Amino acid sequence: MDSILVRGGGKLSGQIPIAGAKNACLALMPATLLSDEPLTLTNAPRLSDIRTMTELLSSLGAEVTSLQEGKVLAMASHGPINTRAEYDIVRKMRASNLVLGPLLAREGHAEVSLPGGCAIGARPMDIHTDGLAKMGAQIDLRDGYLHAKADGGKLKGAVIDFPFASVGATENIMMAATLAKGTTVINNAAREPEIVDLADCLRAMGAQIDGDGTSTVTIQGVDRLHGATHRVVTDRIELGTYMLAPAICGGEVELLGGRIDLLAAFCEKLDAAGISVSETENGLSVTRREDQIRAVDVTTEPFPGFPTDLQAQMMALLCTANGTSVLEEKIFENRFMHAPELIRMGADIEVHGGTATVKGVSKLKGAPVMATDLRASVSLILAGMAAEGETTVSRVYHLDRGYEHVVTKLRGVGADIERIKS
Ligand code: UD1
């Protein structure tokens, strides 16, 4: 298995291009199942999660062609559709559950494997299934698969109150509702930029959706959707991750394609920590104002709050802050697995339940560490860039799920990092 070798030290300078959002693209791709006309996505990221979704959609009978080295995905679902999403593919990635809504909307029935456990928490699917049940679907769990069937073969509009603003459930219900009979209202919907991006794409396909980006999304069902071409929104998590590189190492880096509105709460915390973020013609520029980072407290929340997907990377920054920071994880129950690895690098962190207390130390020290999930793995790379000596991050397949060309991008701004092939 490959690993990543990082030697800490120097300041960074230069530019990093930010890719299209993994999480947006994973929701946009299943939208191809809603129409028999072609759907083309541009600005797609080149990631193993996108290849997994390609494999899943192909197994369902969709055609997915990767063009321009993967930056363009040309999709079409005009042939017969297989409605069974197999465990062997679904288990690789939770976002596979996003085919449930589109399959049910198009074919009136679907059998989708439950994704199973995931390192950062249990992540059930009750919000998705309760919503679809309100729209007239009968859903049973048998043999590890959700067997869903729409009453009379067609979903009906409904008013759905989410107990929590789940991103995936908002996406699934929104897609299902585009072809349902009547109007669907989602109350307490997720407001993430990826939801707005999906709504933009669905509207380009002829869907009638209002209120995306707010807590109440209204979808008026239509008889059919047509083809479209859509550009995937900037990846705000990749953006935030690379914003932390000059914050941790010093120097100045421009993030091409970066937008503050995608990460306002995160930018506020960076400012409080002593990091300046300014808008440039082509994106955002990030630089550290003082020699030492200031401690800040962080609580993860649904958008527009501080994203859980940047909590591990922020912790890497705060390990060398002047003072004590408290990080509260409110979205996932088990998302501090990077803490023991950071402690191996000399960090002073105590975890109690969903709270991590980080006492800043003057310097981290390089060590062999192990990535436990996608965001944890990149937090260890960031920590390695700030540490004295060498850090080897193993199990980097997690990284390949969500960061394209991470080594090239960081080397481009002067980081001493390489991938060691096994
Ligand atoms: C998405 C993102 C993920 C991000 C998360 C929160 C994708 C592909 N993934 O995941 O990177 O960390 O949003 O911003 O977009 N929950 C339930 N029942 C459900 C659904 C969710 O209890 O039916 C719980 C989950 O266990 C979790 C919380 O709600 O504790 C948030 O989950 P959700 O917003 O659904 O996240 P995902 O869509 O899985």
Side-chain angles (χ1 to χ4, degrees):
M1 246 183 280
D2 292 2
S3 56
I4 300 237
L5 174 65
V6 193
R7 289 183 198 90
K11 291 187 173 177
L12 307 180
S13 78
Q15 299 175 321
I16 300 181
I18 304 301
K22 167 181 89 73
N23 286 352
C25 200
L26 290 173
L28 291 161
M29 291 174 75
T32 186
L33 297 169
L34 293 167
S35 171
D36 52 14
E37 292 183 18
L39 174 62
T40 301
L41 299 177
T42 63
N43 197 37
R46 279 77 56 91
L47 301 168
S48 65
D49 271 9
I50 301 300
R51 290 191 286 278
T52 302
M53 185 56 88
T54 299
E55 191 189 347
L56 176 61
L57 290 172
S58 305
S59 78
L60 300 176
E63 287 169 16
V64 184
T65 311
S66 174
L67 304 169
Q68 295 182 26
E69 295 173 346
K71 280 196 112 168
V72 173
L73 297 171
M75 302 180 289
S77 310
H78 45 69
I81 293 298
N82 162 28
T83 55
R84 188 174 166 89
E86 295 288 349
Y87 177 62
D88 266 357
I89 307 177
V90 174
R91 70 181 167 79
K92 292 186 194 166
M93 180 180 72
R94 178 175 163 85
S96 303
N97 63 19
L98 293 171
V99 300
L100 176 60
L103 283 176
L104 200 48
R106 177 173 173 145
E107 300 292 322
H109 62 99
E111 301 81 45
V112 175
S113 168
L114 272 183
C118 136
I120 61 176
R123 299 176 95 178
M125 277 195 64
D126 53 322
I127 305 176
H128 304 239
T129 51
D130 289 355
L132 292 168
K134 275 218 132 182
M135 297 175 74
Q138 284 179 4
I139 305 183
D140 307 307
L141 177 63
R142 275 182 273 135
D143 315 325
Y145 283 72
L146 293 170
H147 294 253
K149 205 165 181 232
D151 272 350
K154 195 165 170 73
L155 292 171
K156 291 183 259 320
V159 176
I160 300 167
D161 299 317
F162 280 170
F164 178 85
S166 156
V167 173
T170 304
E171 293 166 340
N172 238 335
I173 300 293
M174 209 160 76
M175 286 193 276
T178 57
L179 294 177
K181 194 170 171 341
T183 304
T184 300
V185 179
I186 309 173
N187 290 318
N188 197 21
R191 291 179 279 167
E192 270 69 1
E194 294 76 24
I195 306 281
V196 176
D197 201 41
L198 176 61
D200 282 341
C201 176
L202 294 169
R203 271 190 291 267
M205 296 170 74
Q208 292 190 14
I209 304 176
D210 283 309
D212 45 294
T214 76
S215 299
T216 305
V217 180
T218 305
I219 308 109
Q220 176 77 51
V222 295
D223 286 338
R224 64 182 296 273
L225 296 182
H226 51 73
T229 296
H230 175 82
R231 183 183 163 84
V232 180
V233 69
T234 297
D235 194 319
R236 65 196 165 96
I237 306 302
E238 190 197 26
L239 170 65
T241 301
Y242 290 133
M243 286 169 78
L244 285 167
I248 286 181
C249 297
E252 180 160 7
V253 171
E254 187 181 19
L255 297 309
L256 302 176
R259 281 165 37 193
I260 287 183
D261 64 304
L262 295 174
L263 279 177
F266 174 73
C267 290
E268 270 173 36
K269 290 294 174 187
L270 284 190
D271 184 53
I275 313 299
S276 294
V277 180
S278 55
E279 288 177 318
T280 65
E281 209 175 300
N282 298 313
L284 297 177
S285 182
V286 177
T287 178
R288 192 156 115 185
R289 286 196 295 274
E290 295 151 23
D291 272 352
Q292 221 187 351
I293 303 294
R294 280 186 249 141
V296 289
D297 294 343
V298 171
T299 302
T300 63
E301 285 168 351
F303 191 86
F306 190 100
T308 173
D309 286 352
L310 284 171
Q311 176 260 111
Q313 301 90 311
M314 190 73 181
M315 187 185 282
L317 173 78
L318 296 173
C319 284
T320 53
N322 183 9
T324 300
S325 310
V326 177
L327 285 88
E328 274 193 78
E329 174 54 55
K330 295 271 197 192
I331 309 292
F332 293 110
E333 65 267 31
N334 188 22
R335 210 174 195 183
F336 284 134
M337 285 168 303
H338 40 283
E341 301 298 313
L342 291 169
I343 290 169
R344 300 192 62 247
M345 297 177 71
D348 183 346
I349 306 170
E350 267 183 42
V351 175
H352 292 289
T355 303
T357 305
V358 182
K359 286 193 190 129
V361 296
S362 59
K363 201 83 194 148
L364 292 177
K365 294 188 183 66
V369 287
M370 199 179 283
T372 47
D373 67 64
L374 168 56
R375 308 305 171 184
S377 58
V378 83
S379 79
L380 298 174
I381 290 181
L382 289 172
M385 284 164 58
E388 257 167 22
E390 286 190 357
T391 297
T392 314
V393 183
S394 54
R395 292 204 185 158
V396 292
Y397 53 86
H398 291 294
L399 204 65
D400 297 331
R401 290 188 42 216
Y403 289 92
E404 63 168 43
H405 309 314
V406 63
V407 167
T408 314
K409 288 186 182 188
L410 287 171
R411 283 178 81 94
V413 292
D416 188 347
I417 175 170
E418 62 190 290
R419 187 167 182 130
I420 312 287
K421 297 263 175 206
S422 59

